[in-house]
């Protein structure tokens, strides 16, 4: 039946083309559809129409022209058929289309691989290359116009021209069919910088366009196409495989029918993977939610319990939230201050402007830091280190977070350190003055002492006695100056503090309108102290309390045991005896309280401002601590802590001023007046005295006496001397020569522990300037006994 059909069609075609059995095919550069290869027509359409012409015994001719000119030629009757072309109404006016499509194609937008074009909107303002008379290029342009995307289109004769222009970056993009694009890229290796824009897909079906005079060939072409598609070995399918790399039947379901089990398995695997990842995602989301809640709980607990006051303010500087520490510091509950303006609530009159300035800076997006005073609910003013930071979301400040760190104790510690440094700086000056003054007093008191012994006139003796008393008072002043200096090291002995307090009360309060109430706890341990210095502390505190109550009153005194369980910046861990002296005077102003121990600071009309400064220096050098507490109108309370000792209080015996026998003595002192008075004090005694002004001279005389067989029995070595090694180093050199040498340290400026423990520095004794003749004779006698 099929053969008869082809026979009838052949006869009809023969009758139709009896007069003109020829077809003119329009050829244009559209590889792999139609193009010129090695001077001859080639391509998918050429193969199909060639096979059709052979079957129909039609003579086939080729007319070569650009795509857009072929339509003009067809209208003039110079071309019979054009392929492949897309259907549109305009073309259907002057040509006929067959009903069976040759193939289905689509067009893409191509760009240079260096361009970042991913959306149609990225083409706005770009230059796009298209082939003249490409119907789908017109549809593409209309699509862009509907989306308000404005582009400039540049027309070319062939697709190869469009690709070359894109590759050379002469235009921004191109519009081309996928088959043409694939073929050109395969056959033109020099075009390498091209990529397809994602999602740019314009579907099109392609047909034969036939001149109306040849309309009778349309059914023949449709019959040919239908028959050829069914035959796998037909010229149509072979041409498809040749030019496009695949057979027409591959688009069928052959692959699916042969591999459906694997496809099902793949689909099942994809579903399983999807379910697995869904479960995994759920698990991760669950863990993430848990972690978020955990961190939220952590930060909430941190916010509530951190030992720093934190408050959160809204955009209007009003309280939104606060933590427990803030409530403890300021005494407010959240209900009391919520939605209230913070700065005016907790600032003092002096710090309100500072607080408002910090809030303004934080509200502008700046993090700020400052130290300032703020008051709590009860009116107490505390020192704070304040941090104010903006709470920012996006670019908008939603509020302020305020952090308040109480630095009141740190401020107090800093003031204590400054106070100690002030005293130390004055002490450097005072020590130097005291040293020189003591040397002069040694000469004065020594000469007066010698003059009194030499004088037989009672009147002259009385005058000399008065002069000696005046010198003794000057010596007391020197002792006060030494208290400030590094050289005012305590000469300690074990003593009972209550005894010193009782002695001081008799002296200070005798004849005054102030009485004292003394409370002493049981079993007060003794202290190892410099009696003179600690007595001075007690005197100064009692005088200060008495002067605070000019109209009379009572001083409350208590002496107790004190155990310091933990060391801090001011007092170490251990056992102490505490002395509390409290008056009922007007008290000390808050701003003056940090300065009361500073040298020369006083609030009295009369007074030197040294009393409390001396007390502070003495107590500190005893490794103790003194503090003051006061409220205006309620008096002041001073508390002194002195280290307790387990040693026993020693009994006191006077040593008679007797000579131990003849002996040779060497004195080393840089002051001439001291050397002279030392010799005068011992003139007429059994002792032979030599003096040296420096360590070098002393060592020279010591070695000379030793070599002569007339060694010194006792050495007096001054501890300090300008530009000299001093007594301690001199003794080391002496002992290296003769380890049996007996030496006494002498100084008006007691550095280190020589005065308290001379044996530690290899001295047998210590003589403090100024001194009397009797003091000197007793010391010589005491130490020469050790020699004999």
């Amino acid at each position: 039946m099929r053969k008869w059909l082809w026979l009838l069609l052949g006869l009809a075609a023969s009758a139709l083309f009896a007069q003109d059995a020829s077809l003119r095919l329009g050829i244009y550069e559209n590889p792999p559809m139609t193009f010129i290869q090695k001077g001859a027509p080639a391509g998918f359409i050429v193969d199909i129409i060639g096979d059709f012409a052979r079957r129909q015994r039609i003579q086939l001719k080729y007319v070569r022209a650009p795509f857009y000119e072929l339509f003009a030629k067809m209208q003039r009757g110079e071309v019979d058929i054009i392929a492949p072309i897309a259907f549109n109404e305009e073309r259907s006016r002057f040509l006929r289309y067959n009903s069976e499509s040759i193939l289905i194609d689509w067009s893409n937008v191509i760009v240079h691989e260096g361009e970042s074009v991913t959306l149609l909107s990225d083409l706005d303002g770009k230059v796009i290359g298209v082939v003249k008379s490409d119907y789908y290029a017109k549809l593409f342009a209309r699509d862009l116009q509907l989306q308000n995307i404005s582009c400039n289109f540049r027309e070319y004769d062939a697709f190869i021209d469009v690709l070359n222009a894109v590759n050379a970056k002469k235009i921004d993009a191109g519009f081309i069919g996928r088959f043409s694009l694939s073929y050109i890229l395969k056959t033109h290796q020099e075009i390498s910088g091209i990529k397809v824009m994602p999602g740019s897909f314009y579907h099109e079906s392609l047909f034969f366009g036939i001149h109306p005079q040849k309309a009778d060939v349309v059914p023949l072409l449709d019959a040919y196409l239908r028959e050829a598609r069914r035959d796998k070995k037909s010229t149509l399918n072979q041409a498809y495989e040749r030019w496009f790399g695949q057979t027409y039947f591959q688009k069928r379901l052959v692959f699916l029918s042969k591999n459906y089990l694997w496809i099902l398995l793949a689909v099942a695997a994809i579903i399983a993977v999807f379910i697995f990842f869904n479960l995994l995602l759920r698990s991760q989301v669950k863990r993430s939610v848990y972690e978020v809640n955990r961190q939220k709980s952590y930060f909430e607990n941190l916010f509530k319990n951190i030992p720093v006051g934190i408050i959160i303010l809204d955009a209007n500087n009003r309280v939104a939230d606060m933590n427990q520490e803030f409530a403890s510091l300021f005494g407010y509950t959240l209900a009391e201050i919520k939605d209230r303006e913070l700065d005016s609530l907790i600032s003092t009159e002096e710090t309100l402007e500072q607080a408002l300035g910090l809030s303004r800076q934080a509200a502008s997006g700046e993090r700020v830091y400052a130290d300032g005073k703020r008051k709590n609910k009860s009116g107490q003013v505390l020192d704070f280190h304040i941090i104010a930071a903006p709470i920012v979301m996006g670019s908008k400040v939603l509020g302020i977070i305020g952090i308040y760190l109480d630095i009141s104790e740190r401020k107090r510690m800093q003031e204590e350190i400054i106070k100690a440094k002030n005293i130390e700086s004055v002490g450097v000056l005072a020590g130097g003055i005291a040293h020189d003054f003591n040397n002069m007093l040694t000469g004065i008191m020594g000469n007066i002492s010698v003059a009194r012994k030499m004088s037989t006139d009672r009147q002259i003796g009385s005058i000399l006695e008065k002069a000696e008393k005046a010198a003794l008072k000057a010596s007391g002043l020197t002792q006060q100056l030494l208290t400030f200096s590094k050289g005012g090291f305590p000469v300690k002995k074990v003593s009972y503090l209550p005894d010193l307090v009782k002695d001081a009360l008799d002296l200070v309060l005798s004849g005054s309108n102030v009485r004292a109430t003394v409370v002493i706890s049981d079993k007060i341990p003794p202290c190892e102290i410099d009696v003179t210095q600690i007595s001075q502390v007690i005197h100064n505190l009692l005088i200060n309390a008495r002067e605070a109550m000019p109209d009379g009153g009572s001083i409350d005194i208590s002496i107790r045991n004190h155990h310091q369980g933990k060391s801090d910046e001011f007092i170490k861990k251990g056992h102490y005896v505490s002395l509390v002296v409290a008056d009922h005077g007007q008290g000390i102003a808050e701003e003056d309280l940090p300065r009361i121990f500073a040298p020369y600071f006083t609030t009295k009309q009369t007074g030197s401002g040294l009393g409390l400064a001396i007390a502070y220096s003495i107590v500190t050098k005893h490794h103790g601590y003194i503090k003051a507490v006061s409220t205006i109108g309620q008096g002041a309370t001073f508390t002194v802590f002195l280290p307790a000792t387990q040693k026993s209080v020693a009994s006191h015996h006077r040593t008679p001023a007797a000579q131990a026998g003849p002996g040779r003595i060497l004195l080393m002192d840089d002051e001439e007046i001291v050397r002279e008075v030392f010799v005068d004090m011992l003139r007429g005694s059994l002792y032979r005295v030599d003096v040296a002004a420096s360590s070098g001279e002393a060592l020279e005389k010591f070695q000379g006496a030793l070599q002569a067989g007339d060694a010194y029995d006792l050495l007096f070595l001054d501890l300090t001397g300008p530009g000299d090694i001093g007594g301690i180093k001199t003794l080391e050199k002496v002992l290296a020569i003769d380890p049996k040498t007996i030496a006494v340290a002498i100084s008006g400026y007691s550095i280190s522990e020589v005065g308290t423990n001379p044996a530690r520095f290899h001295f047998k004794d210590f003589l403090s300037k100024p001194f009397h003749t009797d003091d000197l004779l007793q010391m010589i006698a005491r130490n020469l006994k050790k020699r004999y």
Side-chain angles (χ1 to χ4, degrees), residues 1 76 122 145 313 370 424 495 562 570 592 596 642 768:
M1 186 65 183
R76 293 194 302 268
D122 295 333
Q145 186 177 9
L313 309 176
E424 182 180 356
S495 303
H562 174 79
F570 308 106
D592 292 334
I596 59 172
L642 293 172
S768 178

Side-chain angles (χ1 to χ4, degrees), residues 701-713:
K701 289 186 175 182
F702 179 81
Q703 285 179 317
L706 196 63
Q707 290 171 359
D710 189 15
Y712 289 108
D713 298 297

Side-chain angles (χ1 to χ4, degrees), residues 9 102 128 220 282 298 306 328 384 388 463 469 478 483 528 532 556 597 746:
L9 289 173
I102 305 171
I128 303 174
L220 297 176
R282 279 189 170 188
Y298 170 80
I306 190 171
S328 298
F384 289 97
I463 293 172
K469 288 181 179 180
T478 307
T483 304
E528 195 168 2
T532 302
D556 297 329
F597 293 113
I746 178 172

Side-chain angles (χ1 to χ4, degrees), residues 691-706:
V691 294
S694 65
S695 59
E697 185 181 355
L699 289 169
E700 184 179 346
K701 289 186 175 182
F702 179 81
Q703 285 179 317
L706 196 63

Side-chain angles (χ1 to χ4, degrees), residues 330-603:
F330 289 93
Y332 293 101
T333 64
L334 181 60
E336 288 177 316
I337 63 172
K338 189 174 177 62
D339 297 326
R340 294 180 65 180
E341 203 275 327
L342 180 68
D343 291 334
S344 59
L345 185 66
I346 65 172
S347 299
T348 64
E349 292 182 4
E350 294 79 13
T351 60
L352 179 59
E353 187 60 35
Q354 179 207 35
L356 294 173
L358 293 177
S359 297
R360 284 193 296 269
Q361 286 179 272
S364 67
E366 183 181 353
R367 180 182 294 178
V368 289
Y369 310 83
D371 288 346
K373 294 183 181 293
R374 299 293 186 269
K375 62 181 179 180
N376 58 20
K377 185 178 180 181
S378 62
Q380 182 184 8
V381 177
L382 301 173
D383 287 289
F384 289 97
H385 179 67
I386 305 165
I387 303 172
I391 301 172
V392 181
M393 183 173 291
S395 59
K396 186 178 181 181
V397 177
L398 301 181
I400 299 171
I401 182 169
I403 301 174
Y404 291 79
L405 178 63
D406 186 359
I407 59 171
S408 301
E409 185 63 20
R410 189 180 78 186
K411 281 277 191 181
R412 188 182 68 83
M413 290 163 55
Q414 289 174 345
E415 288 164 356
E416 290 285 347
I417 293 170
I418 292 170
K419 179 170 58 182
K421 288 187 178 294
N422 287 338
I423 293 175
E424 182 180 356
S425 63
V426 175
V428 173
L429 175 63
I433 295 173
H435 173 266
D436 295 340
F437 195 44
N438 267 336
N439 282 328
M440 289 185 284
L441 281 176
T442 301
I444 294 170
M445 290 182 64
N447 283 309
I448 292 174
S449 175
V450 171
R452 284 185 65 192
K453 287 190 176 182
M454 294 174 61
S455 174
T456 57
D457 190 307
R458 288 185 178 181
Q459 188 176 0
I460 294 175
S462 176
I463 293 172
L464 291 173
E465 184 179 358
K466 291 178 181 178
E468 192 174 32
K469 288 181 179 180
L472 283 172
K473 287 185 178 180
S475 176
L477 177 60
T478 307
Q479 186 63 38
Q480 291 188 45
L481 290 174
L482 278 173
T483 304
F484 285 116
S485 70
K486 291 182 178 179
F489 200 87
V491 180
K492 298 179 181 179
K493 63 181 180 180
V494 180
S495 303
Y496 192 52
L497 188 61
D499 292 343
L500 301 183
V501 172
K502 291 175 182 177
D503 293 341
L505 284 172
D506 292 339
L507 290 173
V508 175
L509 302 184
S510 179
S512 71
N513 58 353
V514 175
R515 57 186 177 83
T517 302
V518 181
V519 177
I520 302 174
S521 299
D522 295 335
K523 298 181 180 179
I524 296 293
C527 300
E528 195 168 2
I529 55 177
D530 185 315
V531 173
T532 302
Q533 290 188 2
I534 295 302
S535 295
Q536 191 174 0
V537 171
I538 298 169
H539 276 74
N540 289 346
L541 293 179
L542 291 174
I543 291 170
N544 191 70
R546 185 191 68 192
E547 292 178 349
M549 299 181 292
D551 298 328
S554 175
I555 301 175
D556 297 329
I557 300 171
S558 64
I559 303 173
R560 296 186 177 91
N561 289 311
H562 174 79
H563 176 71
Q564 183 71 20
K566 184 178 180 182
S567 299
D568 59 26
E569 291 288 330
F570 308 106
I571 184 169
K572 293 182 179 180
K573 178 181 178 181
H575 294 279
Y576 295 83
V577 176
S578 69
L579 168 64
V580 180
V581 179
D583 63 62
H584 298 279
Q586 290 300 313
I588 303 170
E590 181 182 356
E591 61 271 16
D592 292 334
L593 197 60
R595 298 183 290 168
I596 59 172
F597 293 113
Y600 306 112
F601 175 79
T602 180
T603 59

Side-chain angles (χ1 to χ4, degrees), residues 182-237:
S182 177
Y183 182 81
I184 292 171
L185 292 178
K186 286 179 182 179
T187 56
H188 292 75
Q189 299 296 324
E190 72 277 6
I191 303 176
S192 59
I194 299 296
K195 68 177 181 180
V196 176
M197 192 183 84
S200 59
F201 177 89
Y202 289 86
H203 176 274
E204 56 187 21
S205 297
L206 303 178
F207 303 89
F208 286 103
I210 304 163
H211 193 281
Q213 292 180 355
K214 300 291 185 176
D216 292 334
V217 82
V218 171
L220 297 176
L221 278 170
D222 285 337
Y224 168 78
L225 290 173
R226 285 192 294 270
E227 179 65 23
R229 286 195 181 102
R230 289 192 290 267
D231 185 1
K232 294 181 180 181
K233 296 181 179 181
S234 67
T235 301
L236 172 67
N237 288 317

Side-chain angles (χ1 to χ4, degrees), residues 746-774:
I746 178 172
S747 179
Y749 184 65
S750 57
I751 58 173
S752 71
E753 298 179 51
V754 178
T756 305
N757 188 14
R760 180 180 173 186
F761 300 89
H762 309 293
F763 289 101
K764 300 300 181 182
D765 217 331
F766 176 79
L767 179 61
S768 178
K769 299 177 185 178
F771 49 85
H772 291 280
T773 303
D774 289 342

